[in-house]
Amino acid sequence: SYDREHYIDPTWLNTIVKELWKHIEASGRKILDEEVLPKMKAEVKKSAKMLKKFGIGAVNPEDVGVEQFFLGDTAASVGATRLHRKSYTKPDGTKAQALQLDVSLLFDDTVQITVNAGFLVLEICHMRFSGELTMLMRPLVKEVPIIAGVQLFFLNTPDIRYDFKVSGEKPSRTM
């Protein structure tokens, strides 16, 4: 249950996001490299026969990669920000307190993200992202570190839109 709700001026959060923007960009690149690209490579490998039927020719899954990843110089902005004090029941049945920070995020800018899919190149040139990020801080304890854990999540799927162009067949690299 929510005991109290406070609206917070997001200026300080915008300053933090601006300072962290290059780190956020690097984290996005890492997610793309470590989570998305392996799946893309596996799909290209599985689809090689089908691609050949469409006259695309030999596609080497190792050619799949990110050629460019730049989220722009303008950081995402923080809008409406609400802080809630929340009571909850722990697994052992005792009552505890938590803080929940709900932050509206908006990013709408020119980007340069180029992905080589082995047989074509996808270039994302503009991206718009909006959603409400929830930061749940619990349990609150009466000793350092005061907040024992933090969870970050989107309760609802954020809206992500982008403009892209696709270049034709990209020749595979020879080894």
Side-chain angles (χ1 to χ4, degrees):
S1 69
Y2 293 94
D3 301 321
R4 290 186 259 176
E5 178 176 272
H6 304 282
Y7 287 88
I8 297 173
D9 179 353
T11 304
W12 67 278
L13 284 170
N14 277 308
T15 302
I16 290 171
V17 171
K18 185 177 178 182
E19 290 297 318
L20 293 176
W21 192 242
K22 290 299 175 192
H23 298 278
I24 292 167
E25 181 179 75
S27 295
R29 171 68 188 252
K30 185 175 180 180
I31 290 168
L32 198 57
D33 286 341
E34 294 178 1
E35 295 179 29
V36 177
L37 286 177
K39 292 175 185 173
M40 284 179 64
K41 288 179 181 187
E43 287 300 316
V44 166
K45 190 173 184 176
K46 285 190 329 191
S47 303
K49 287 181 184 177
M50 180 198 61
L51 293 170
K52 195 170 186 177
K53 286 181 185 178
F54 289 106
I56 293 178
V59 178
N60 182 351
E62 293 309 311
D63 288 337
V64 174
V66 177
E67 294 179 356
Q68 188 174 24
F69 191 88
F70 176 65
L71 293 180
D73 293 319
T74 305
S77 62
V78 175
T81 305
R82 294 178 316 281
L83 179 67
H84 313 270
R85 179 183 296 273
K86 185 176 179 183
S87 299
Y88 69 98
T89 304
K90 293 171 30 176
D92 65 5
T94 60
K95 294 282 187 184
Q97 295 293 308
L99 292 177
Q100 180 172 318
L101 187 66
D102 295 320
V103 178
S104 294
L105 295 175
L106 174 64
F107 175 72
D108 190 353
D109 202 1
T110 300
V111 298
Q112 297 169 354
I113 302 171
T114 306
V115 178
N116 177 355
F119 58 95
L120 59 83
V121 176
L122 175 70
E123 296 176 57
I124 300 173
C125 48
H126 186 267
M127 185 179 292
R128 185 181 197 297
F129 172 98
S130 62
E132 186 172 84
L133 177 70
T134 296
M135 178 188 297
L136 184 60
M137 297 165 271
R138 70 176 190 181
L140 303 178
V141 294
K142 294 182 178 177
E143 58 190 51
V144 174
I146 303 169
I147 299 169
V150 176
Q151 293 173 290
L152 294 172
F153 56 91
F154 289 94
L155 189 57
N156 298 305
T157 304
D159 182 47
I160 302 172
R161 299 170 190 255
Y162 46 88
D163 296 327
F164 65 91
K165 62 183 178 178
V166 177
S167 302
E169 185 174 340
K170 174 107 177 177
S172 298
R173 291 188 298 241
T174 55
M175 299 270 176

